[in-house]
């Protein structure tokens, strides 16, 4: 099993969710994060002084999936999250050793 | 009285006459209580208190970082309390009892001799006058808070306020409104361009300079944590300002009506002017900008609002928007003084400008009234503004030295990083989960 | 005057008489200034300004998404400024100077001829009347903002406001309150069911239709980002509304007292009615619901509040709760018009309903006063409401076409996604960390 | 009348005289309408309503967890509506029409007989008096909300409010202000230390006891989710309280001026006193603390504010700060009663203390007026406070039993964990992203 | 060493913390997240229109532990976080290669 | 490749970012978290009652880097984040199997 962490632009969350849902992936956990990268933050100007907001609001989507679905999920996310502009984000894949569903005690693929 | 003469006399003037040798009877007041004037003056008092609590507190609180917002609200609230107590204890007497040209006496110490029925020559009770003027003595040191946020000790701020009210506010109030030398010279200052905005603005600048800038002032300043809160506070300032200016006419009369009108016009025009400049300069018209323009407009029109007409109000509004906008940059960027919330640039500059220009705009040429000779009036106004600015600066330096030698001005570095809310008050502003 | 005749005359009427041929002296006013009336009218003016800043701004601001709240506050603030300036510049004159039945003249352009002591037949200064009426000219376009939030360009909104005040507001204010044809026909509209709510409501609906729905209007709409902010704003509207309605009686008199009472009753009854319906329909009584009910009640009682008694107020309150509740669903769900914050359903429908029903509820049968023949009055009221609705719609279409041809109505798609706060104003509402 | 006699007579007293046998004509009122008094009383009414909406709502709302804030705002708003409707329906008549010493009659049911021009012996319209007193009948049950937050059912709260207004508020208002037995005995209670704060405080304590503590009251209580919101609400309470106290003088007169002054002094002194204690005890001066001190000061001065001078105000302020501070700990820590927002400790204790001490501080010795014999007055005051406390307790027990037997007092455990906003009202307070 | 990520219902956080504490696990990092899964969000109704809130507030607890304590920790969390109702959440176990305590420079098990 | 998760004191974020930037690491994702550990929370006192705030606000910085840069990055963070006081935080290193840059479709080191 793998844990996929995708950092995307916040306004793409809906599209990504729908796309994942259409390939049968319904479970995910979403965190609001701040991104630093090539895409730069912005300045806000108050009373003639510049104030730097150097991070960008981003959304992190974490999805645990069976190893054999990783490619499909990556592609789906990539397509849905892409705007073609800088700052579209990244997808990270981490090994996932074990999963438990708290309610039932199911483990492994059952628990996804 | 020229400034040099003034300078030589004041030390003498302050001391011997503090306690009235004979408790002089007030000149027989023939006025009777007018319920309409009383109704308006009570209401105006409520409005001016509302300007500070919560108006000014929110206006300032929204401009700082989230970790310091409670400390700002706390400052405003505590200043209100301490100023109220001192006002009753002795400052009202020092400001508004007879005394000499420099300071009142102590005949009304602890509000002695102000009975329920006392009118003291007005058409509304003296108790209401005490209260109305108290709200001015509250908001004026309240304004200074904008300069010291995010780094000054709470104790230092409290001590500063108490001393400042005694050393700066009470004398100046006496000079201009309490029968003192400026009033005798015919200075025009309906609602406090000199007494309120010049004193607070100049003192704020000096205090900010002594305090030094906030930790990351040069590297990166943080945007207002809540522009919406700023706007709410500003809106309350706007509505409350009618109590401030029109209330200063002392009754529900024709003059109050015109004062209300020109006050409003200046605010609206200054808001739009500021916004247009910001739009051009910064690319976008912002909410914090437009409301700052409004405050600048109101500070500027305040001293003039008893003497100008609509045309004068438009002129002051435009000037307030332009001059105060650029003053902000000048102080923060050029002079690198961290007058954090631009008290001098907005209130000080605006108030001084209005206090001087009333000498011109109060003439009939500009639709004003009460100024017959612009030249002579200008001299009077400039002298008053200048002398008040110097007095405020000197007083502030003195007080700062006292504080430095005692409780100290500034919180420690860690407290500044953590935020004053936790460090000084043990509270957190937003527990939203 | 029938509507067809009116239609044929208005173009003519507007043009030649704009500038008074002879600056007619006002009829000798025997009234003298009454301080109680003046005190109340100044206070009422403050209250109505408070309704917009920050009342309406918060009421609307809390209903949108967090990324657009500042733009809403900005709209309300900027509308206040632009309306104030235009009012002083010429709209007061167009609305309230003599002119003809369709529009006032320009004798008071730039407030010419309104001196400090001018009463113009009232018991309080004309300056205060100018201010009081100005606050109505501020809040009326302010109401329309609710329809255009989250997608309209700031420039377009400003242009809309300016043109709308000239084309729609000033004429209608003249017809009903400024001595125009509706007033001569005996239309009843104490505080603006026709002048304020019908004009704003209808124009809001038309504008929303032209703007088109927000991006995700059909798929998913977002809940109010801060129901608490909505409630604070609504509370301020409630307290301010006493200035609006009771202030429209022009003095601190017995009529103002009854107006206050019936206004309050209608608000309370409408709140409870709305809540009960919502409780049944949606399963739970919500905060946004109860305060919306209150606003509906106030909008509905506004035109009638000078003529009804407590019984009429209860009836209007119940009707406001029921009819406006279902109107919301009708517009958004059935007609699929994204009048985002339900300006038409709440203000428009309520205001029109109250403007018509005063014809019945103002009779002695319902404890009212001022209406002797319900039938005749109903005809007058319906004609006035209908004609005003048409005029507002036509005016709005015209203005929208002008804007479309010039600055454009709507922000780009990306700006809409990012939120107008950043895109249009370069600010962020909540920096809470 | 001794308490035992009172006890035996009241049941009889309530019943037969409810409906006036003959609709007695009011004694010929020679008063004429005074516009100044009317202006002030309308304004005072607006201020007192503002105290509840949004003042009290924010003061309370900021103190609870973020998941319950909307329910607190909803409670305050719904209480306002239900109290308004009941007041108009019959409570005004029960409180303020003649009746007997225990309860008014029903001659003004549905405001029957209160015409536009009715003065009823006052200098302002009776409609305004109805409204002014209504705002007291709103805020009093509003205060009780502080005890029941975060766990009481909305239906139960509404039912409680309705019954409590009938069983507790209306009778006590009649005794003290409506011509009832306490008034005849010469009880002093200008603005509601007995009628408002004793009734609400005692009832809050009893209700909190019956409700039981919040889920994690013993293990860990949660800090106020928004001290800033608490401060905003408190500030509105402060400014509004001038309407409450000075408005209770019934006009814009000299007495109103002095009332305003002493009210303000007590608030400022109590704030500072509380803060100093907290600073010593808890190590830091907090924002929630200083504003709580202010509310304590205001509650304490309320009954006395018509009879004391500045010196009395200082004394009450100091006592309010000290006694109410320690009362909070006593109730929550010692008695372990979860009177969540300290309604009894702050309002109840303060109000009772002020209601008793006016018997001493109203003497000329302390600069007061209206009390000639401290001893006799103290007896009268203590008897009135004691009897009212007992009546309030008994009434609350009765109502609680009714509610337990019908809709039930408390929400389920899951609702309490999730928060009442979602569970009871289907809303979320902060959608900030 | 392993990194355990548990997604739980927010109101269970106290219980989970106490349970972990009772088995000697004191260190953890907690993030507020939004969950999507089988348990569905809710609707809020305003003025007769339905507004969908399709995510659920969840709490993510991250705990770094020695490999041999993983079973114990999982059991403890499972028990404390369980309400038996849908949406109780999941536990993910990821391999953790290295840990450093910033203050002391300690690494590995020492640093936990 | 590795995913480095550093839990630091919030006011150290600026310094950490600058230090990382000076060794050429510009990309990172930052989350606000609540920390539990040896450093204890604080109490707030209202009206004489103590209220416990038992977590501490912390900042989590996640950085994906090539395996050979891990040591350097850890050292840089350690130095910049250290105040020498309890609660300075921890650095966790997890294996990272795959990275995709959404905008370009680049994978692996290219995508960092
Ligand atoms: N090395 C990295 N480690 C962790 N997160 C990263 C890294 N590089 C980028 N990110 C995240 O991805 C987001 C987008 O990256 P950025 O370089 O701005 O543009 P792009 O996605 O087009 O390459 C950043 O805002 C940040 O949240
Ligand atoms: N595949 C997944 N990847 C990441 N997080 C998941 C996944 N499935 C579920 N979750 C998280 O677990 C939470 C609970 O899952 P859900 O399916 O609603 O109920 P249950 O825990 O009873 O299976 C979700 O809200 C989400 O935060
Ligand atoms: N075992 C752990 N798993 C996950 N996070 C931890 C763990 N131990 C500590 N932390 C995180 O590191 C932070 C600092 O740890 P703490 O024990 O307080 O001090 P120190 O860093 O000095 O050891 C904690 O607030 C928590 O966020």
């Amino acid at each position: 099993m793998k844990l996929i962490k995708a950092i995307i632009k916040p306004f793409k969350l809906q599209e990504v969710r729908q796309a994942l849902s259409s390939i049968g992936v319904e479970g995910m956990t979403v965190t609001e994060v701040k991104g630093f990268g090539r895409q730069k933050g912005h300045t806000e100007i108050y009373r003639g002084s510049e104030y730097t907001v150097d991070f960008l609001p981003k959304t992190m989507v974490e999805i645990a999936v069976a190893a054999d679905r990783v490619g499909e999920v990556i592609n789906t996310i990539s397509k849905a999250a892409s705007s073609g502009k800088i700052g579209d984000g990244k997808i990270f894949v981490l090994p996932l050793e074990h999963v438990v569903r708290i309610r039932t005690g199911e483990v492994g693929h059952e628990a996804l | 009285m020229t400034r040099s003469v003034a300078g030589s006399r004041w030390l003498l003037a302050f001391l011997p006459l503090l306690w009235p040798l004979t408790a002089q009877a007030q000149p027989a007041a023939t006025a009777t209580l007018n319920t309409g004037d009383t109704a308006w003056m009570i209401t105006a008092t409520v409005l001016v208190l509302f300007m500070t609590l919560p108006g000014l507190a929110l206006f300032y609180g929204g401009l700082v970082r989230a970790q310091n917002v409670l400390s700002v609200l706390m400052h405003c609230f505590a200043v209100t309390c301490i100023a109220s107590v001192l006002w009753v204890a002795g400052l009202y007497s020092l400001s508004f009892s007879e005394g000499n040209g420099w300071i009142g006496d102590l005949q009304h110490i602890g509000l002695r001799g102000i009975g329920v029925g006392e009118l003291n020559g007005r058409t509304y009770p003296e108790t209401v006058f005490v209260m109305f003027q108290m709200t001015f003595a509250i908001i004026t040191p309240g304004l200074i808070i904008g300069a010291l946020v995010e780094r000054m000790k709470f104790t230092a701020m409290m001590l500063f306020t108490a001393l400042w009210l005694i050393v700066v506010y009470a004398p100046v109030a006496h000079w201009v409104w309490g029968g003192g030398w400026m009033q005798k010279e015919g200075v025009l200052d309906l609602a406090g361009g000199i007494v309120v905005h010049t004193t607070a603005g100049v003192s704020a600048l000096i205090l900010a300079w002594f305090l030094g800038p906030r930790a990351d002032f040069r590297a990166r300043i943080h945007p207002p944590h809540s522009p919406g809160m700023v706007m709410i506070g500003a809106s309350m300032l706007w509505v409350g300002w009618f109590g401030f200016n029109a209330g200063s006419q002392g009754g529900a009369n024709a003059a109050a009506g015109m004062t209300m009108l020109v006050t409003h016009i200046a605010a609206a025009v200054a808001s739009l002017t500021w916004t247009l400049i910001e739009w051009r300069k910064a690319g976008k018209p912002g909410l914090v900008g437009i409301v700052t323009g409004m405050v600048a407009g109101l500070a500027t029109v305040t001293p003039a609002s008893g003497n100008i007409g609509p045309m004068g109000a438009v002129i002051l509004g435009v000037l307030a928007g332009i001059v105060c906008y650029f003053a902000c940059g000048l102080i923060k960027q050029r002079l690198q003084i961290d007058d954090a919330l631009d008290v001098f640039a907005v209130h000080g500059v605006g108030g001084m400008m209005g206090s001087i220009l009333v000498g011109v705009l109060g003439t009939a040429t500009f639709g004003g009234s009460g100024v017959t000779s612009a030249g002579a009036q200008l001299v009077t106004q400039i002298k008053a503004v200048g002398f008040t600015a110097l007095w405020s600066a000197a007083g502030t330096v003195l007080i700062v030295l006292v504080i430095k030698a005692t409780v100290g001005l500034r919180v420690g570095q860690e407290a500044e990083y953590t935020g004053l809310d936790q460090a000084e008050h043990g509270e957190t502003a937003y527990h939203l989960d």
Side-chain angles (χ1 to χ4, degrees), chain A, chain B:
Chain A
M1 293 171 296
K2 304 292 169 189
L3 183 70
I4 297 175
K5 286 168 87 101
I7 322 276
I8 61 171
K9 290 187 168 160
F11 81 86
K12 285 290 189 182
L13 178 60
Q14 286 306 318
E15 280 174 61
V16 168
R17 269 195 56 228
Q18 274 151 20
L20 286 172
S21 175
S22 73
I23 61 161
V25 176
E26 301 276 5
M28 69 193 71
T29 299
V30 171
T31 314
E32 278 154 45
V33 296
K34 302 174 187 176
F36 297 87
R38 297 193 190 166
Q39 187 195 2
K40 293 302 164 206
H42 64 277
T43 48
E44 300 184 3
I45 304 184
Y46 294 101
R47 300 176 174 178
S49 298
E50 293 201 353
Y51 295 72
T52 320
V53 178
D54 46 14
F55 64 87
L56 289 151
K58 297 280 172 188
T59 295
M60 180 161 74
V61 184
E62 290 178 292
I63 310 149
V65 286
D68 55 6
R69 300 205 61 187
V70 167
E72 188 191 2
V73 168
I74 290 182
N75 287 340
T76 307
I77 296 177
S78 285
K79 226 174 288 166
S82 171
S83 73
K85 298 215 195 105
I86 194 161
D88 271 354
K90 311 228 138 88
I91 303 174
F92 301 126
V93 182
L94 287 86
L96 177 61
E97 295 185 350
H98 192 59
V99 180
V100 180
R101 186 193 305 277
I102 293 172
R103 174 166 45 96
T104 57
E106 287 162 294
V107 296
H109 289 90
E110 309 275 272
L112 288 179
Chain B
M1 197 182 295
T2 65
R3 201 197 295 164
S4 62
V5 176
S8 63
R9 280 202 199 154
W10 73 263
L11 254 179
L12 270 174
F14 267 75
L15 298 177
L17 290 171
L18 278 179
W19 198 273
L21 297 182
T22 57
Q24 276 179 292
Q26 294 288 339
T30 53
T32 52
L33 188 144
N34 177 297
T35 57
D37 289 345
T38 303
W40 169 233
M41 291 310 295
I42 294 179
T43 305
T45 303
V46 170
L47 286 172
V48 186
L49 182 61
F50 187 55
M51 285 176 73
T52 305
L53 296 183
L56 183 70
L58 296 177
F59 180 62
Y60 278 175
L63 287 168
V64 301
R65 300 177 66 181
Q67 56 186 16
N68 295 316
V69 54
L70 299 183
S71 78
V72 173
L73 305 187
M74 181 76 185
H75 287 190
C76 291
F77 206 94
V79 160
T80 300
C81 298
I82 192 87
S84 300
V85 169
L86 293 176
W87 190 251
V88 167
L91 293 179
Y92 172 70
S93 192
L94 285 180
S95 304
F96 286 99
S97 64
E98 208 173 337
N100 57 31
W102 289 93
I103 193 73
D105 54 45
L106 291 174
Q107 65 172 294
H108 289 311
I109 196 169
L111 302 187
R112 249 180 14 143
I114 297 177
V116 175
E118 187 63 73
L119 291 180
N120 204 358
R122 296 186 191 83
T123 56
Y124 57 98
E126 187 165 11
T127 50
V128 176
F129 181 70
V130 171
M131 281 297 303
F132 182 68
Q133 285 298 334
M134 181 199 284
T135 58
F136 283 66
I138 287 169
I139 201 167
T140 310
L143 290 175
I144 300 177
I145 291 168
L148 55 82
V149 296
E150 307 200 287
R151 60 205 191 284
M152 193 168 179
K153 274 187 185 166
F154 179 65
T155 41
M157 190 280 306
M158 289 297 273
L159 188 53
F160 182 90
T161 299
L163 295 175
W164 189 87
L165 281 168
I166 298 167
V167 174
V168 177
Y169 188 79
V172 179
H174 186 72
W175 305 342
V176 181
W177 294 335
W181 69 271
M182 288 187 185
Q183 191 167 26
K184 286 187 184 118
E185 289 197 0
V187 156
L188 297 175
D189 183 10
L190 179 70
I194 296 169
V195 181
V196 174
H197 293 104
T198 301
T199 60
V202 171
S203 299
L205 189 69
I206 304 287
L207 178 57
W209 189 84
F210 274 102
L211 265 174
R214 287 164 290 172
D216 33 16
F217 176 62
R218 266 162 209 113
R220 54 183 251 118
I221 26 181
H222 299 270
H225 93 281
S226 177
M229 186 186 277
V230 177
M231 182 273 188
I232 301 175
S235 298
M236 291 172 173
L237 287 173
W238 194 339
V239 298
W241 220 295
F242 295 115
F244 203 83
N245 286 4
S248 291
Q249 293 288 9
N253 46 42
M258 183 55 91
T259 295
M260 178 179 215
L261 179 61
V262 295
T263 297
H264 186 86
I265 293 173
V269 171
S271 302
L272 292 175
T273 306
W274 184 293
T275 301
L276 286 174
I277 300 176
E278 187 172 278
W279 206 337
R280 255 197 99 86
K281 290 252 150 205
K284 286 172 181 170
L287 180 63
V288 169
I290 199 169
V291 305
T292 306
M294 175 215 88
V295 173
L298 288 169
T300 305
V301 81
T302 290
S305 60
N307 298 85
I308 61 173
M311 198 198 315
V314 171
I315 295 171
L316 283 184
V318 171
L319 286 174
I322 298 172
V323 176
C324 297
Y325 180 90
F326 289 104
C328 286
L330 182 74
I331 304 296
K332 276 235 187 77
Q333 315 282 34
R334 287 283 169 87
L335 305 186
Q336 290 274 327
I337 299 177
D338 189 11
D339 174 7
L341 312 182
D342 308 298
V343 183
F344 179 74
V346 174
H347 298 272
V349 169
M352 290 194 265
M353 185 162 63
S355 299
I356 293 170
L357 292 181
V358 64
V360 180
L361 302 176
T363 57
T365 321
F366 289 93
S369 66
V371 178
T372 42
S373 153
Q377 191 67 44
L378 270 177
V379 171
T380 310
Q381 298 298 119
I382 291 171
K383 198 171 74 175
V385 169
F387 188 78
T388 301
L390 285 177
W391 181 276
S392 304
T396 301
V397 171
L398 197 81
I399 298 167
V400 164
L401 295 178
V402 170
I403 294 176
K404 278 198 153 178
T406 53
V407 297
L409 276 180
R410 207 169 156 143
V411 299
Q413 206 192 333
E414 188 165 337
E416 192 176 344
Y417 272 116
T418 323
L420 304 194
D421 293 359
Q422 262 305 321
E424 292 270 291
H425 307 292
E427 292 173 301
T428 308
Y430 302 100
H431 285 292
L432 297 192
D433 47 279

